[in-house]
Amino acid sequence: ERPPQVLIEVDPGYHRTGLGPDTAGDVARHASRLGLEVIGVFTHGGHAYMGRDRVEGAAMDEIQALAIAAESLAANGIEARVVSAGSTPTALAAASGPVTEVRPGTYLLNDRIQVALGSAPPDGVAIAVAATVVSDAAPGKYVINAGAKTLTKDSPPYLAGHGVIPDHGGGIVERVSDYHGEVGETDGVESPRVGDVVAVVPNHVCPVVDLFDSFIATRSGEIIGQWPVDARGRSG
């Protein structure tokens, strides 16, 4: 029976998980003694999400950390057959040197953060939340039925609000409560009326998708299916 294959995670400077790249070989050697088959190393340059000016540096950090880790494995007699970088913002820049694969995830749909980081053009976002305007009683804004339990509260410092409504002057979802989002009116643009359905581009699509049981797939404005979210309720 073939032993389980594993990768050793290394920290490229994000300081979330992973060990020092130069210690990867020691860990791999011990893992091998325990009966595991170490086939390589991987990392995640999550610090690219700190801002557009951090993306290139984070990609270089991934490459350097992986190169050191692969050399550390080789020094312990283990070939790193898989050298894996992983982040949508760094996907293209990190595909260099010893890297054999990249693991971008958000690129499949993209979101407002990816546009801000330069990973996608504004028309390259393939998802939106359909929300209904439920109130326009307060001056200077209107309220939709999509709040924190729909859009989440992810709001990086380089983005205002919790989402944007491109079809109505780029209105920003300025504040969210559990079930409501408050959208500031855009000067010179007529706001939608109560009962209108608007498309909201979320800041961070990953947790948004996981908040739904399914989503509607469209092509050229036509509905082509309703796809289940298999990961729903399995975040633990």
Side-chain angles (χ1 to χ4, degrees), residues 152-216:
T152 79
K153 289 188 175 182
D154 279 12
S155 185
Y158 47 83
L159 280 180
H162 303 274
V164 65
I165 302 176
D167 292 340
H168 291 277
I172 302 297
V173 182
E174 298 174 344
R175 188 172 73 169
V176 292
S177 48
D178 282 352
Y179 300 104
H180 298 89
E182 301 175 20
V183 185
E185 292 183 336
T186 303
D187 292 340
V189 177
E190 184 177 356
S191 296
R193 299 181 177 182
V194 172
D196 287 348
V197 176
V198 297
V200 186
V201 175
N203 286 356
H204 187 190
V205 69
C206 303
V208 171
V209 169
D210 197 44
L211 290 172
F212 291 86
D213 294 325
S214 63
F215 59 92
I216 304 297

Side-chain angles (χ1 to χ4, degrees), residues 68-146:
I68 293 172
E71 292 171 0
S72 181
L73 260 65
N76 284 271
I78 300 172
E79 178 188 3
R81 305 196 300 275
V82 177
V83 181
S84 180
S87 155
T88 293
T90 65
L92 295 179
S96 181
V99 175
T100 64
E101 71 170 24
V102 291
R103 308 182 321 278
T106 312
Y107 86 99
L108 184 66
L109 298 172
N110 287 314
D111 53 26
R112 196 170 171 228
I113 287 177
Q114 297 305 327
V115 173
L117 293 176
S119 307
D123 62 355
V125 179
I127 195 167
V129 172
T132 301
V133 179
V134 295
S135 176
D136 58 4
K141 65 182 178 182
Y142 56 94
V143 181
I144 58 177
N145 65 346

